[in-house]
């Protein structure tokens, strides 16, 4: 196992390799050859993911008076996806290479040629593909063949046989695995209103799994077929849409900055082509270094009008309106949504944190994660494994620190190797018990991940020290 940065590898390859080697992310079902576009998260992966999720939940729920939490089921009534337009319209344009059988999203092929085809009709896409074909610019990025099919629409909905024997599944009774988490939020608007009695504007937030039959899921955890979303739907009076939309754009932008993403690596992307019910759609994009310096969507912020509640009201026959006691008016609230992918965000934080320090004698790699996001906050080491008094003291310190912080005890290998390992998982502080700790009562050394500097801290002050350092 080497920590030396390999100059031949791309940043993406380095991160994929680090996350596998250090137990963050594994390809799913690897011993059977894997499942394309599906990943498992190991020990450090779940800790990092959980920290990001909790940060989001804190900002959305704990720090706000007007947003409520929800955990709605993955399986929903089949009609809900007909009402939302997903059954008929949740498609992407697919192109196949006739030579190597690789599949591509046609809008992504066009994007690579500088043509924005996001949400464009299939006729437009095929027209543009033909132009590229005639100009001999249309090639399979996998094998180089020019023999690519025209684009056809491909449904992203994942079907199941939930609740029915397999042979009787029809278009009417098929159950889908939800393609986005917000669907469940719309269906719980009424229960939230009836039980918690919020006044407009109010929001419902949830984090959960979503499933999409992505045409091409080959960008590690950036695009997968099973993933988690963090979504918030903000119900409001339509007269306030403009003002609230700007407010949410700002709140979400600030969240990234507050959590250590430099503003130069972020930008807003305005969607020109909107769904017929939408009045505004922006994405927050992050410049992923490992995609060759390109901005990619991490979150969407959309003004969805009253489409969702109107459609569910129409299809379910249940009124989903709101009575405003001040104006004595009944109306269907409009919705603003903020929608982010958890794994995509994790990849953003990993990309931003990945650092190679080549200045010292030995090059080192570390994840410069904000301490509050780091999977492990403090690692505790005895200087030597074979000195029982050092090991006992280090265990004692580990056992009291772990009450307050995610900690790790390590007495394997030499101390330099232990530091390197913690650097690669992004642990901000390493505490070492040495002979001066025991013999002189000189406290412990605390090493800072980013500077590599060490300072001595009294044992009785360690908890306070860490509280101050890990915000
Ligand atoms: P894209 O254009 O990348 O396919 P989208 O516009 O379809 O994304 P939304 O439906 O708006 O995405 O979903 C909201 C968020 O969910 C995205 O910003 C992204 O972070 C995340 N997301 C969407 N699809 C995936 C996926 N297949 N894998 C991982 N995250 C995803």
């Amino acid at each position: 196992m080497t920590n030396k940065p390999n100059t031949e590898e791309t940043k993406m390859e380095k991160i994929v390799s680090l996350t596998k080697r250090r137990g963050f992310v594994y390809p799913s079902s690897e011993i059977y050859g894997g499942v394309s576009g599906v990943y498992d998260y190991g020990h450090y992966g779940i800790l990092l993911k959980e920290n990001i999720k909790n940060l989001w939940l804190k900002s959305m729920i704990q720090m706000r008076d007007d947003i409520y939490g929800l955990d709605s089921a993955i399986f929903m009534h089949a009609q809900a996806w007909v009402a939302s337009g997903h059954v008929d319209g949740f498609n992407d344009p697919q192109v196949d290479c006739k030579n190597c059988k690789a599949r591509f999203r046609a809008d992504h092929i066009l994007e690579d040629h500088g043509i924005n085809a996001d949400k464009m009709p299939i006729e437009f896409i095929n027209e543009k593909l033909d132009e590229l074909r005639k100009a001999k610019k249309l090639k399979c990025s996998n094998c180089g063949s020019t023999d690519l099919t025209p684009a056809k629409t491909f449904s992203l909905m994942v079907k199941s046989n939930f609740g029915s024997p397999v042979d009787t599944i029809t278009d009417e009774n098929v159950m889908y695995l939800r393609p986005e988490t917000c669907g469940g939020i719309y269906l719980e608007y009424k229960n939230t209103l009836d039980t918690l009695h919020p006044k407009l504007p109010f929001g419902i937030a949830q984090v959960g799994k979503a499933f999409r039959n992505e045409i091409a899921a080959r960008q590690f955890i950036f695009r997968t077929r099973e993933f988690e979303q963090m979504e918030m739907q903000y119900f409001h009076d339509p007269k306030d849409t403009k003002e609230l939309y700007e407010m949410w754009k700002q709140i979400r932008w600030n969240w990234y900055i507050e959590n250590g993403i430099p503003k130069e690596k972020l930008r807003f992307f305005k969607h020109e082509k909107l769904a017929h019910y939408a009045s505004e759609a922006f994405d927050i994009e992050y410049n992923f270094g490992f995609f060759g310096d390109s901005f990619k969507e991490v979150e969407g912020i959309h003004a969805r009008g009253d489409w969702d509640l109107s459609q569910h009201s129409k299809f379910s026959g249940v009124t989903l309106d709101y009575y405003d006691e001040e104006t004595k008016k009944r109306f269907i609230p409009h919705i603003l949504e903020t929608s982010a992918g958890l794994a995509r965000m994790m990849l953003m934080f990993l990309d931003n944190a990945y650092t190679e320090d080549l200045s010292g004698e030995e090059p080192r790699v570390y994840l410069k994660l904000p301490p509050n996001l780091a999977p492990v906050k403090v690692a505790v080491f005895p200087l030597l494994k074979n000195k029982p008094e050092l090991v006992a003291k280090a265990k004692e310190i580990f056992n009291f620190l772990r009450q307050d912080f995610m900690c790790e005890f390590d007495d394997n290998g030499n101390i330099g190797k232990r530091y390197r390992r913690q650097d690669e998982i992004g642990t901000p502080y390493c505490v070492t018990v040495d002979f001066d700790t025991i013999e002189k009562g000189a406290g412990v050394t605390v090493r800072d991940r980013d500077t590599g500097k060490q300072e001595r801290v009294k044992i009785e002050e360690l908890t306070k020290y860490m509280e101050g350092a890990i915000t």
Side-chain angles (χ1 to χ4, degrees):
M1 192 181 291
T2 172
N3 296 85
K4 280 200 182 152
N6 180 342
T7 44
E8 306 280 291
E9 281 179 328
T10 63
K11 191 175 182 193
M12 171 73 134
E13 285 165 342
K14 288 174 187 172
I15 290 181
V16 172
S17 135
L18 183 148
T19 54
K20 168 92 190 289
R21 180 157 44 92
R22 292 301 185 192
F24 285 77
V25 184
Y26 311 118
S28 173
S29 313
E30 198 178 14
I31 59 168
Y32 285 98
V35 178
S36 154
V38 187
Y39 288 88
D40 295 337
Y41 292 84
H43 182 66
Y44 299 113
I46 62 140
L47 292 172
L48 175 55
K49 219 151 52 104
E50 213 53 25
N51 291 342
I52 299 170
K53 175 174 144 181
N54 288 335
L55 212 56
W56 185 86
L57 282 173
K58 183 177 178 190
S59 73
M60 282 295 180
I61 298 179
Q62 187 177 328
M63 300 307 290
R64 296 196 63 97
D65 303 325
D66 56 352
I67 302 186
Y68 304 91
L70 178 72
D71 181 12
S72 69
I74 285 169
F75 288 108
M76 291 166 46
H77 198 286
Q79 278 301 297
W81 300 115
V82 178
S84 65
H86 280 83
V87 171
D88 284 336
F90 197 47
N91 305 313
D92 272 338
Q94 177 186 328
V95 161
D96 292 301
C97 171
K98 289 193 195 160
N99 182 45
C100 72
K101 312 291 175 224
R103 290 181 156 185
F104 303 97
R105 256 177 74 171
D107 53 332
H108 288 172
I109 295 180
L110 294 177
E111 200 180 296
D112 290 343
H113 288 86
I115 303 164
N116 182 4
D118 187 36
K119 315 267 184 303
M120 288 298 188
I122 196 85
E123 295 76 23
F124 171 91
I125 288 173
N126 273 321
E127 205 177 289
K128 294 290 165 199
L129 286 175
D130 276 346
E131 286 172 16
L132 289 178
R133 200 173 277 119
K134 278 188 198 130
K136 303 210 179 329
K137 288 184 183 161
L138 189 63
K139 282 199 181 107
C140 169
S141 61
N142 191 40
C143 73
S145 165
T146 51
D147 204 2
L148 301 185
T149 62
K152 60 176 184 230
T153 50
F154 177 83
S155 173
L156 303 185
M157 298 295 283
V158 180
K159 289 179 179 173
S160 82
N161 69 338
F162 182 94
S164 354
V166 180
D167 55 356
T168 60
I169 293 179
T170 64
D171 281 351
E172 280 69 46
N173 69 8
V174 63
M175 291 286 266
Y176 297 96
L177 275 75
R178 66 180 176 199
E180 53 186 31
T181 54
C182 55
I185 296 182
Y186 307 135
L187 302 201
E188 292 308 343
Y189 157 78
K190 188 171 174 350
N191 276 331
T192 305
L193 201 61
D194 292 348
T195 54
L196 305 175
H197 311 291
K199 297 252 176 298
L200 290 186
F202 73 90
I204 301 179
Q206 82 164 326
V207 182
K209 290 252 174 169
F211 302 82
R212 294 182 188 179
N213 229 339
E214 295 281 357
I215 293 169
R218 39 177 112 86
Q219 293 162 311
F220 190 40
I221 55 170
F222 179 83
R223 185 180 306 285
T224 50
R225 299 196 164 101
E226 174 178 342
F227 57 100
E228 278 163 284
Q229 286 186 312
M230 306 190 287
E231 296 201 293
M232 192 282 300
Q233 308 291 308
Y234 204 64
F235 302 87
H236 63 279
D237 187 321
K239 73 174 169 39
D240 301 325
T241 300
K242 222 172 156 30
E243 189 188 330
L244 293 174
Y245 189 79
E246 287 312 312
M247 179 186 93
W248 276 108
K249 256 177 83 184
Q250 202 54 53
I251 291 175
R252 291 307 304 148
W253 177 271
N254 292 348
W255 187 88
Y256 290 82
I257 307 292
E258 282 155 18
N259 290 303
I261 304 297
K263 66 176 185 321
E264 311 75 61
K265 287 192 179 175
L266 292 170
R267 75 174 186 198
F268 277 119
F269 171 79
K270 181 177 166 60
H271 284 265
E272 298 298 344
K273 180 101 176 68
L274 298 176
H276 65 89
Y277 49 82
S279 59
E280 199 73 274
F282 276 82
D283 292 338
I284 294 181
E285 295 187 330
Y286 170 78
N287 191 351
F288 283 93
F290 45 63
F291 289 139
D293 196 32
S294 66
F295 283 89
K296 303 258 181 209
E297 170 182 347
V298 282
E299 170 160 358
I301 303 166
H302 310 130
R304 303 181 55 87
D306 65 358
W307 163 260
D308 305 284
L309 290 183
S310 300
Q311 284 293 103
H312 288 304
S313 182
K314 189 166 132 196
F315 277 73
S316 66
V318 175
T319 307
L320 295 176
D321 61 7
Y322 176 85
Y323 180 66
D324 188 320
E325 281 164 9
E326 272 176 34
T327 60
K328 313 276 182 237
K329 279 192 190 141
R330 270 191 185 282
F331 60 93
I332 293 196
H334 283 216
I335 291 176
L336 294 173
E337 120 178 310
T338 72
S339 171
L342 180 50
R344 213 176 265 195
M345 225 176 240
M346 170 168 157
L347 197 54
M348 172 192 74
F349 281 114
L350 285 170
D351 177 80
N352 191 49
Y354 182 88
T355 313
E356 291 176 354
D357 179 0
L358 307 173
S359 63
E361 263 177 38
E362 239 195 89
R364 73 177 182 114
V365 171
Y366 61 103
L367 292 183
K368 204 173 173 176
L369 289 165
N372 59 342
L373 283 186
V376 174
K377 313 298 183 204
V378 191
V380 184
F381 311 147
L383 183 63
L384 297 171
K385 186 183 185 159
N386 57 1
K387 296 285 172 202
E389 65 280 26
L390 298 186
V391 174
K393 194 68 185 167
K395 279 255 160 84
E396 186 191 313
I397 293 173
F398 168 65
N399 280 325
F400 79 71
L401 281 179
R402 76 192 309 189
Q403 311 281 332
D404 297 305
F405 311 99
M406 185 70 207
C407 292
E408 212 167 80
F409 179 86
D410 190 4
D411 60 3
N412 253 321
N414 69 46
I415 198 89
K417 216 167 152 191
R418 286 182 248 163
Y419 283 148
R420 297 290 175 265
R421 189 175 159 271
Q422 294 300 328
D423 281 347
E424 285 208 348
I425 61 173
T427 306
Y429 299 102
C430 292
V431 166
T432 304
V433 171
D434 57 17
F435 292 106
D436 282 356
T437 314
I438 310 289
E439 290 161 11
K440 299 186 186 156
V444 290
T445 62
V446 176
R447 173 193 178 263
D448 180 287
R449 173 198 65 200
D450 301 344
T451 62
K453 291 207 175 106
Q454 298 181 26
E455 61 176 315
R456 290 207 87 91
V457 176
K458 287 184 186 155
I459 294 175
E460 58 277 19
E461 286 172 9
L462 263 181
T463 301
K464 208 157 180 226
Y465 179 97
M466 292 304 167
E467 272 167 6
I470 301 159
T471 45

